[in-house]
């Protein structure tokens, strides 16, 4: 019996699953909340409050895993343990991930989450990524061998882990500022696009700016580096060489909150000063792929022609009347 030449091969089916999952993640506007649910799940399932506690808890023994592979019983749903000696794709860890997905779905029903339902593949990927981060953390806690073949002391390991923790926290703060900036711009553009719709000459401008912010997403928003400006705390914007120069458009959005006092409440935290300059430090994050061509710097795109999508996005030249 011959295979149908039109039927997709296993490799193509797997590729389609990957593309579908990436699309689901990219379109998830509740990603932050969903990842918080995963973190809470880990705390409950493994009885820990922070990922660092896995250094003390450890994982399942090699003998227990081998017994399972030889036909013995698998992971205990009431006392789950990871196999940190193998990747998330191992047989043991896949059983653990499947059990965690079921527990998470039960929590969703019992707690009546307001977020949109997500596929099992979505949750499996989120859990696997968190497992990989914890596994990397455990690996980093092991003594390292220097170039001269000597081994790190416990004191040196502690100092290195503390330095790596500080770097993670710094990145987390930077990511949080970037996400807050994106959310603020999205809220401003959404509000003004609705308020000015069909009754203002600049309604089309705010509809365009809303599309710009939405299309860029949080990953397309520049991050900041803190600094001092004459003893005043300020953030220096990081440059994104792949992105079109949209400082003018973003400035229109950012100043609107303070200028339009009738629409926006002036209470709340004062916005920290941000400095944009032509000598901005380059962002360490990877370029966002798959945006319309008009979002990319022409010179950068010429060197990376496969980065843009075929979607059309006409750019509006905004004229400000003073």
């Amino acid at each position: 019996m011959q295979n149908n030449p039109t039927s997709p091969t296993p490799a193509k089916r797997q590729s389609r699953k990957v593309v579908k999952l990436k699309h689901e993640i990219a379109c998830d506007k509740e990603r932050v909340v969903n990842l918080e649910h995963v973190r809470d799940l880990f705390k409950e399932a493994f009885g820990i409050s922070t990922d660092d506690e896995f250094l003390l808890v450890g994982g399942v023994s090699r003998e227990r895993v081998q017994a399972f592979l030889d036909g013995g019983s698998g992971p205990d749903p009431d006392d789950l343990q990871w196999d940190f000696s193998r990747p998330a794709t191992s047989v043991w860890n896949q059983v653990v991930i499947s059990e965690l997905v079921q527990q998470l779905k039960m929590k969703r029903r019992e707690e009546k989450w307001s977020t949109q339902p997500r596929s099992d593949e979505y949750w499996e990927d989120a859990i696997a990524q968190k497992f990989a981060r914890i596994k990397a953390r455990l690996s980093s806690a092991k003594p390292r061998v220097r170039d001269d073949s000597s081994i790190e002391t416990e004191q040196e390991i502690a100092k290195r882990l503390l330095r790596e923790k500080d770097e993670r926290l710094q990145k987390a703060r930077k990511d949080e500022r970037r996400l807050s900036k994106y959310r603020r711009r999205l809220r401003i553009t959404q509000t003004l696009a609705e308020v000015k719709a069909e009754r203002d000459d600049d309604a089309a401008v705010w509809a365009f700016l809303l599309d710009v912010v939405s299309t860029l997403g949080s990953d397309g928003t520049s991050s900041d580096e803190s600094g001092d400006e004459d003893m005043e705390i300020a953030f220096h914007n990081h440059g994104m060489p792949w992105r079109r120069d949209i400082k003018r458009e973003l400035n229109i959005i950012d100043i609107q909150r303070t200028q339009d006092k009738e629409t926006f409440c002036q209470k709340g935290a004062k916005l920290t000063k941000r400095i944009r300059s032509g000598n901005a430090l380059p962002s360490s994050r990877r370029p966002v792929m798959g945006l319309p061509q008009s979002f990319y710097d022409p010179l950068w795109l010429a060197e990376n022609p496969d980065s843009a999508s075929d979607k059309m996005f006409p750019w509006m030249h905004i004229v400000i009347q003073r």
Side-chain angles (χ1 to χ4, degrees):
M1 184 176 182
Q2 295 181 341
N3 291 331
N4 184 348
T6 61
S7 62
T9 64
K12 284 187 177 180
R13 284 195 294 269
Q14 182 63 25
S15 177
R16 289 177 182 176
K17 284 184 178 180
V18 172
V19 171
K20 185 178 179 180
L21 174 60
K22 287 184 177 180
H23 179 74
E24 183 177 8
I25 294 173
C27 296
D28 182 17
K29 296 182 179 179
E30 301 168 320
R31 180 72 172 173
V32 173
V33 178
N34 286 330
L35 293 181
E36 287 177 359
H37 287 314
V38 173
R39 286 194 290 271
D40 291 339
L41 175 69
F42 269 61
K43 292 178 182 179
E44 293 183 18
F46 299 101
I48 52 97
S49 56
T50 65
D51 290 348
D52 288 338
E53 291 183 25
F54 277 103
L55 291 169
L56 304 175
V57 175
V60 67
S61 67
R62 293 178 182 271
E63 294 77 14
R64 177 78 175 81
V65 174
Q66 189 59 51
F68 165 63
L69 296 176
D70 291 339
S73 59
D76 181 358
D78 296 324
D79 185 22
L80 289 175
Q81 290 180 300
W82 290 110
D83 179 6
F84 288 114
S85 67
R86 293 177 174 85
T89 53
S90 72
V91 178
W92 178 279
N93 287 331
Q94 282 296 296
V95 176
V96 173
I97 290 174
S98 296
E99 174 60 30
L100 288 173
V101 170
Q102 295 308 312
Q103 291 185 19
L104 188 142
K105 291 164 69 174
M106 184 179 297
K107 281 173 59 66
R108 175 183 175 81
R109 290 192 297 269
E110 292 175 349
E111 299 174 6
K112 298 179 181 179
W113 296 351
S114 60
T115 52
Q116 293 294 316
R118 291 294 163 192
S119 67
D120 285 3
E121 291 79 12
Y122 176 97
W123 295 117
E124 289 168 0
D125 178 76
I127 292 170
Q129 286 190 31
K130 184 164 180 62
F131 164 78
R133 289 192 293 271
I134 294 172
K135 186 173 183 290
R137 191 84 55 85
L138 293 179
S139 297
S140 69
K142 296 178 181 179
R144 295 180 179 177
V145 180
R146 304 188 189 89
D147 293 337
D148 61 0
S149 298
S150 62
I151 300 177
E152 282 183 316
T153 65
E154 291 186 4
Q155 187 176 19
E156 289 170 334
I157 295 173
K159 287 182 178 179
R160 175 170 55 80
L161 292 178
L162 186 61
R163 183 177 66 254
E164 291 174 353
K165 184 177 181 179
D166 288 341
E167 291 172 354
R168 288 196 304 272
L169 291 174
Q170 185 180 27
K171 181 181 181 301
R173 289 192 293 269
K174 212 183 282 187
D175 290 345
E176 181 58 32
R177 289 197 296 268
R178 174 170 54 84
L179 187 59
S180 296
K181 183 161 58 171
Y182 164 70
R183 287 173 174 168
R184 185 182 68 251
R185 287 171 175 166
L186 187 63
R187 185 172 63 251
I188 291 173
T189 52
Q190 284 176 334
T191 300
L192 289 173
E194 293 175 4
V195 168
K196 295 178 178 294
E198 299 182 0
R199 67 179 184 84
D200 267 283
D201 293 338
D202 56 354
V205 171
W206 286 103
F208 164 74
L209 292 174
L210 172 59
D211 287 342
V212 169
V213 173
S214 301
T215 303
L216 273 176
S218 60
D219 288 338
T221 304
S222 65
S223 58
D224 302 317
E225 179 184 41
S226 60
D228 293 322
E229 279 282 312
D230 296 330
M231 302 306 292
E232 177 186 2
I233 295 177
F235 290 128
H236 297 260
N237 282 64
H238 279 189
M240 306 179 82
W242 60 269
R243 196 180 71 181
R244 176 194 186 115
D245 184 0
I246 56 173
K247 292 194 293 287
R248 186 168 179 272
E249 287 83 354
L250 296 179
N251 191 52
I252 292 173
I253 299 171
D254 291 340
I255 64 175
Q256 196 66 28
R257 181 184 173 188
T258 55
Q259 287 189 346
D260 194 343
K261 297 182 179 180
E262 294 182 0
T263 304
F264 298 100
C265 176
Q266 302 303 305
K267 294 181 180 180
K270 180 182 177 182
L271 293 181
T272 306
K273 181 179 180 181
R274 283 177 167 81
I275 301 171
R276 299 189 180 99
S277 69
N279 299 320
L281 293 172
S283 172
S284 59
R285 289 183 294 114
R286 294 180 179 179
V288 179
M289 302 298 179
L291 298 175
Q293 290 187 15
S294 53
F295 280 83
Y296 294 95
D297 176 82
L299 295 178
W300 185 91
L301 190 60
E303 297 177 356
N304 303 270
D306 297 328
S307 302
S309 70
D310 296 330
K311 183 179 179 181
M312 297 297 295
F313 193 102
W315 205 265
M316 177 184 291
H317 179 68
I318 303 174
V319 178
I320 301 178
Q321 296 180 348
R322 300 186 183 280

